[in-house]
Amino acid sequence: MVAAHKGMNINAEEFMAVLDDALNALEKNNIGPREQEEVLFILHSMRKEIMLG
Ligand code: HEM
């Protein structure tokens, strides 16, 4: 993930916007609350690799 986002200088607002989009897609596809939580937890755990790289 670090290499894919290197030099993009992604900030917290942009990062959270992607998580919002992911949440919308999960809800739109009727993914259960527990699975939603698991996916968002995994995506959020990548923030240090993606943000401000
Ligand atoms: C948890 C959040 C994110 C995940 C899991 C993620 C995942 C990925 C993956 C798998 C790729 C493809 C890498 C490749 O083809 O080698 C990618 C590319 C990219 N990501 Fe993300 N991303 C995330 C957040 C963001 C954010 C917040 C932005 C910008 C606001 C962003 C912008 C981009 C762009 C522009 C590319 C294309 C890079 C290229 O074509 O070289 N990503 N991302």
Side-chain angles (χ1 to χ4, degrees):
M1 282 299 138
V2 175
H5 298 92
K6 200 164 181 51
M8 291 186 196
N9 212 17
I10 294 168
N11 63 32
E13 199 183 332
E14 291 161 336
F15 183 78
M16 291 313 292
V18 167
L19 267 63
D20 276 345
D21 290 345
L23 178 57
N24 289 336
L26 292 165
E27 281 172 349
K28 204 172 172 192
N29 292 283
N30 303 316
I31 304 301
R34 180 139 168 260
E35 289 79 7
Q36 288 186 22
E37 220 175 279
E38 286 172 4
V39 170
L40 292 176
F41 182 80
I42 292 165
L43 292 179
H44 194 260
S45 71
M46 297 180 192
R47 70 194 178 286
K48 287 203 176 111
E49 296 166 50
I50 292 170
M51 276 173 49
L52 305 177

